[in-house]
Amino acid sequence: MGKYGFLGLPVSNVSYYDSSIPAQWFDQRLDHFDPTNTDTWKQRYFVSMKYFDRNSDSPVFLQLGGEGEASPVWLEQGQVATNYAKHFKAAQVLIEHRYYGKSHPTR
């Protein structure tokens, strides 16, 4: 737990975490409730196919970023990755919450 009660990053056995999972970006609508507003912004996400089995009915696990910067460490060392994704042979997607990390819908 962090200073304010938030869940911290998974404990890593290396002092500096360096992931091979690259950040990706997609155009997200700024306002989902106004069909006339076509403004978009770039939202960051990460994808891990490490355990995914393309030859079966493997699921896709979507993780929504919380109140902090998204990190691919969650796709490699977090509870979902080390237990559930491996067990179910799932693909994993982590979407960064707007206004946290590098996902900012405002300029």
Side-chain angles (χ1 to χ4, degrees):
M1 291 287 208
K3 179 178 177 182
Y4 301 104
F6 299 126
L7 186 61
L9 289 175
V11 176
S12 175
N13 56 359
V14 294
S15 59
Y16 173 76
Y17 182 76
D18 185 24
S19 176
S20 61
I21 299 174
Q24 299 182 58
W25 301 85
F26 72 97
D27 290 325
Q28 177 69 273
R29 288 187 57 180
L30 183 62
D31 186 343
H32 295 278
F33 301 103
D34 180 1
T36 64
N37 186 345
T38 59
D39 293 340
T40 61
W41 58 282
K42 299 284 188 189
Q43 188 165 14
R44 186 167 70 151
Y45 68 101
F46 301 90
V47 176
S48 173
M49 303 297 278
K50 181 177 181 179
Y51 302 114
F52 188 62
D53 182 358
R54 295 178 191 274
N55 298 317
S56 69
D57 291 331
S58 296
V60 175
F61 290 161
L62 174 63
Q63 298 179 58
L64 304 177
E67 296 173 333
E69 183 171 356
S71 172
V73 69
W74 291 106
L75 301 179
E76 297 177 323
Q77 297 181 21
Q79 177 74 287
V80 172
T82 57
N83 290 322
Y84 304 117
K86 188 175 185 178
H87 175 77
F88 291 103
K89 299 177 181 172
Q92 299 174 84
V93 179
L94 170 62
I95 298 177
E96 187 167 64
H97 192 290
R98 62 169 61 198
Y99 298 113
Y100 292 94
K102 296 181 178 156
S103 295
H104 293 275
T106 58
R107 290 177 174 70

